[in-house]
Amino acid sequence: AVVSTQSPPLSPNPRGRSITKQGVYNVNSMISIRSEKNNVTAASAIKKVFIWDLDETIIIFHSLLTGAYAETYQKDAQSTVNLGLRMEDMIFNLADTHLFFNDLEECDQVHIEDVASKDTGQELHNYNFSADGFSAPAQQGALNKAAVGGAAWFRKLAFRYRRIREIYTACADNVNKLLGPQKYQSWVELRNEVDSMTDNWLGLSMQALQLIHQRQDSVNILVTTTQLVPALAKCLLHGLGEMFPVQNIYSATAIGKESCFERIVARFSTKVTYIAIGDNDDEAQAAKQLGFPFWRVSCHQDLTNLHVALREEYL
């Protein structure tokens, strides 16, 4: 069955809309890093935390759009760009239609629980999100700007993030529940094209993710420069929901990767071993600042080597 979300109607996706755009109304300055210690997923049994980047590490996306992947791997540039644009459309369609991105693009959060304290716990089964009067700061008229940041506005914001958590969790293992048969088939066909173009890049990263996921004393955490809602859409579309439960996903758009890493340390404690995995200098520098080992992913062989290192328990 297709999950119904009562999300506001889909607006056209303008070309050039940035998935990594920083939200203009972020409440994370109000969120104490100490609150991570209260996260229900921080279990004492965890001994190793693997902190993953998303784009160009687990999935290939941005480099398809820019043509960089085609240049590096001698692929047809126009074909890769077209694949990237089709992926972008699917990501925004899912984010806008089912995950309230039209409402939340300008009030992005680092973590799904960052506004949970504003949630009154009201039953949302019959709640009409499209008629509750919520609007993002940029959509507010001059006379209504004072309402932004008020208790009622925050409550409606928190309701949306709670509903997103419910949707993500319900569909983590099967995005077909959201897309429905026709869109799902279109996505499967696109995924197959991308897998072929990228020589099974996602398959290689999934092998490493699954080895970590199977361990009782280890956990996968995602820290991405993508805004939180589109990042969740990417994870659902690429079958990453089981590898990354919603509470294990952080967006570094507003606060940077180093600050996200610090929040994760506060959550799991300094006694845990942390390994950062990524493709660029943002996560490499953040890892260096916190003294984490860093596994750079620049090509398919790096993912194959990571899988071997995990299988042989070198990591």
Side-chain angles (χ1 to χ4, degrees):
V2 178
V3 174
S4 175
T5 62
Q6 297 185 17
S7 184
L10 174 66
S11 63
N13 172 23
R15 287 290 181 208
R17 182 182 183 187
S18 174
I19 289 180
T20 59
K21 178 181 176 183
Q22 180 170 330
V24 298
Y25 200 92
N26 185 281
V27 302
N28 289 288
S29 59
M30 309 175 196
I31 306 296
S32 169
I33 197 169
R34 290 190 297 273
S35 68
E36 291 293 341
K37 295 180 180 178
N38 298 322
N39 193 302
V40 296
T41 62
S44 59
I46 298 299
K47 296 179 181 178
K48 289 183 180 179
V49 174
F50 292 83
I51 305 175
W52 290 78
D53 178 43
L54 181 58
D55 287 5
E56 321 320 312
T57 299
I58 297 174
I59 67 172
I60 297 296
F61 173 59
H62 188 257
S63 62
L64 293 178
L65 288 170
T66 63
Y69 188 89
E71 183 177 353
T72 301
Y73 292 98
Q74 289 79 54
K75 305 286 185 177
D76 179 70
Q78 191 57 55
S79 296
T80 62
V81 171
N82 287 339
L83 284 176
L85 290 172
R86 289 164 62 194
M87 289 175 67
E88 184 180 56
D89 284 342
M90 290 290 294
I91 292 163
F92 277 125
N93 190 292
L94 178 58
D96 285 333
T97 306
H98 300 291
L99 303 179
F100 306 103
F101 194 48
N102 282 321
D103 285 351
L104 302 176
E105 184 173 6
E106 300 299 331
C107 31
D108 188 42
Q109 304 303 314
V110 172
H111 189 266
I112 197 70
E113 293 294 327
D114 280 355
V115 290
S117 64
K118 310 296 182 181
D119 193 331
T120 59
Q122 178 179 331
E123 171 59 50
L124 299 180
H125 181 67
N126 293 314
Y127 187 85
N128 190 346
F129 287 95
S130 63
D132 70 351
F134 179 87
S135 59
Q139 300 167 332
Q140 290 278 0
L143 297 177
N144 295 325
K145 285 190 180 294
V148 174
W153 186 86
F154 265 116
R155 182 177 68 252
K156 295 169 187 176
L157 180 69
F159 287 171
R160 281 159 172 75
Y161 278 100
R162 172 159 44 112
R163 184 63 181 132
I164 289 169
R165 179 176 186 137
E166 292 170 352
I167 293 167
Y168 185 96
T169 301
C171 302
D173 63 344
N174 187 3
V175 74
N176 187 22
K177 296 175 185 176
L178 278 183
L179 298 181
Q182 187 173 351
K183 284 187 178 180
Y184 180 68
Q185 185 57 40
S186 296
W187 171 245
V188 169
E189 291 171 3
L190 176 56
R191 271 276 304 272
N192 289 338
E193 290 181 57
V194 173
D195 286 344
S196 177
M197 180 67 74
T198 61
D199 300 310
N200 195 37
W201 185 286
L202 176 61
L204 293 174
S205 62
M206 281 293 288
Q207 288 179 352
L209 285 164
Q210 287 167 345
L211 281 181
I212 296 165
H213 183 66
Q214 290 164 4
R215 295 179 178 180
Q216 296 299 310
D217 65 349
S218 300
V219 65
N220 290 306
I221 301 289
L222 187 68
V223 177
T224 174
T225 52
T226 301
Q227 284 185 264
L228 183 61
V229 172
L232 298 179
K234 288 181 182 180
C235 286
L236 288 173
L237 286 168
H238 289 90
L240 298 169
E242 288 190 310
M243 300 301 104
F244 297 105
V246 68
Q247 68 271 16
N248 289 352
I249 299 172
Y250 294 77
S251 170
T253 306
I255 66 173
K257 293 216 166 179
E258 186 176 340
S259 294
C260 283
F261 285 15
E262 288 171 348
R263 285 188 58 165
I264 293 164
V265 172
R267 172 178 167 184
F268 289 98
S269 90
T270 56
K271 298 178 181 179
V272 171
T273 298
Y274 296 90
I275 300 100
I277 304 165
D279 71 294
N280 63 46
D281 292 337
D282 285 349
E283 51 264 24
Q285 185 61 31
K288 182 178 179 181
Q289 288 297 111
L290 276 73
F292 298 169
F294 178 68
W295 189 285
R296 186 177 291 275
V297 175
S298 301
C299 61
H300 299 77
Q301 191 60 48
D302 293 332
L303 290 170
T304 300
N305 292 343
L306 176 60
H307 177 254
V308 172
L310 289 165
R311 187 186 64 205
E312 301 299 325
E313 299 189 348
Y314 297 129
L315 292 177

